[in-house]
Amino acid sequence: MDQPVVVGVDGSGASLRAVDWAADEAALRGVPLHVVYASLWERYEHAVFPEGREPASERLLTDVLAVAAAKRARARVPGLTVTTEVVPEGPVPVLRRAAHKAAALVLGSRGRGGAAELLMGSVCLAVAGRADGPVIVVRGDHDNRPGHRKGRPVVVGVPDHRADSDAVRFAFREAARRHAPVEAVRVWHRPAHEATDDPRLTGETARARRRAFEALETGLRASAEEQPDVEVRRRIVEGQARTVLLDASADAALLVVGARQPQSRFGFHLGRVTHAVLHHAACPVAVVPERF
């Protein structure tokens, strides 16, 4: 059987929106959906209560939450195969393991500020930074529900001079499934010492922009050949990458960024750009491991 889409739930409204997104994603891929709830309650229960007692209300609640999420997914996509799992561990190790066997792991982000957002953000960052498969974080704003952005582009930040970027390939495949265009973004910087009124320095600006164009074309080549029916919109923008990508997310169906190697026991490297878009993007964000 093909690898399922996995969604992590915790009973919040944000995780229910993630269930909607994950159900749609599973349907697009033609694969099952697997709902995971990670809870430490059962471990605490065995430590405190003697064996043979009836399950406590909190433990029953975790089972109900997983079942309710599965019911929601089946109602959204009739005929979708949905399985559930409740694991007596903390969410980060459970979700990391689930990502290893998933076509994609989907998580919710509350995006409302305060302690709740910080807690959810810490789980999303830890999992996205250590998972060895794609992690999609569904931003929690009301206008980011699946379906509201049908036909909008899949935006991807194109890295330096790579013709085989995993993030770019992922973006093209997602766009093909959605019958949507890819908006490929490459950011460049004007030489810091350049003065616009000094004709001797205009050549450096031209070279910097040309290098950005070449990097963009190199980064798109393999994916464009693999998905020739996907419309590609090329953007070369001067500025800060995180600002440019956050602006692009306002009109995007999905924003795709890469998590760089080398990989160590601490996982992949999430740079400042990825941190920024995970916390502030106006659309769901896919973090894809880049294996150099």
Side-chain angles (χ1 to χ4, degrees):
M1 181 178 291
D2 292 330
Q3 290 181 313
V5 170
V6 177
V7 59
V9 299
D10 64 0
S12 67
S15 73
L16 293 180
R17 285 187 287 274
V19 169
D20 291 345
W21 180 275
D24 289 349
E25 182 72 18
L28 284 171
R29 292 170 177 263
V31 300
L33 176 66
H34 186 56
V35 178
V36 176
Y37 185 101
S39 171
L40 289 169
W41 176 255
E42 186 174 352
R43 178 178 296 179
Y44 296 150
E45 182 184 64
H46 286 313
V48 175
F49 299 107
E51 294 186 13
R53 286 195 55 170
E54 291 296 318
S57 59
E58 182 70 17
R59 183 179 174 188
L60 288 174
L61 177 61
T62 63
D63 294 330
V64 168
L65 289 174
V67 170
K71 182 178 179 180
R72 181 185 180 102
R74 293 188 186 102
R76 184 173 182 84
V77 182
L80 181 66
T81 299
V82 185
T83 56
T84 64
E85 182 180 11
V86 176
V87 186
E89 294 183 49
V92 173
V94 171
L95 294 172
R96 283 183 60 195
R97 289 199 303 271
H100 181 68
K101 300 178 181 179
L105 171 65
V106 182
L107 304 174
S109 176
R110 288 179 173 86
R112 298 173 185 168
E117 181 184 3
L118 290 174
L119 177 59
M120 178 61 72
S122 67
V123 172
C124 290
L125 288 173
V127 175
R130 299 176 184 176
D132 57 4
V135 177
I136 300 174
V137 179
V138 180
R139 297 289 301 162
D141 296 337
H142 70 280
D143 61 342
N144 291 331
R145 295 192 299 270
H148 278 226
R149 293 173 173 255
K150 186 176 181 180
R152 296 190 184 186
V154 174
V155 174
V156 60
V158 179
D160 288 325
H161 297 282
R162 289 200 63 207
D164 59 349
S165 164
D166 293 299
V168 173
R169 288 182 184 273
F170 181 89
F172 269 77
R173 290 168 183 163
E174 288 296 303
R177 294 184 184 105
R178 290 166 167 76
H179 304 287
V182 164
E183 184 173 309
V185 180
R186 176 68 192 177
V187 179
W188 69 283
H189 302 281
R190 186 183 300 272
H193 58 275
E194 178 170 334
T196 56
D197 58 350
D198 188 342
R200 296 172 299 176
L201 299 176
T202 57
E204 292 190 37
T205 295
R207 284 191 291 273
R209 195 178 191 284
R210 185 169 61 251
R211 286 194 296 269
F213 177 79
E214 291 170 352
L216 180 63
E217 290 303 310
T218 300
L220 294 178
R221 187 175 302 128
S223 296
E225 291 174 356
E226 184 181 280
Q227 303 287 347
D229 294 331
V230 173
E231 176 190 351
V232 184
R233 302 174 183 174
R234 295 165 171 82
R235 290 186 59 201
I236 301 174
V237 186
E238 181 190 2
Q240 290 188 330
R242 53 186 167 182
T243 302
V244 172
L245 291 176
L246 286 173
D247 288 344
S249 73
D251 296 314
L254 179 68
L255 173 60
V256 182
V257 293
R260 301 190 304 274
Q261 278 193 317
Q263 189 181 20
S264 68
R265 63 191 179 93
F266 299 107
F268 292 86
H269 175 65
L270 294 182
R272 288 178 295 177
V273 173
T274 304
H275 276 260
V277 299
L278 283 174
H279 281 97
H280 303 295
C283 72
V285 177
V287 180
V288 181
E290 292 281 13
R291 295 171 175 81
F292 289 86

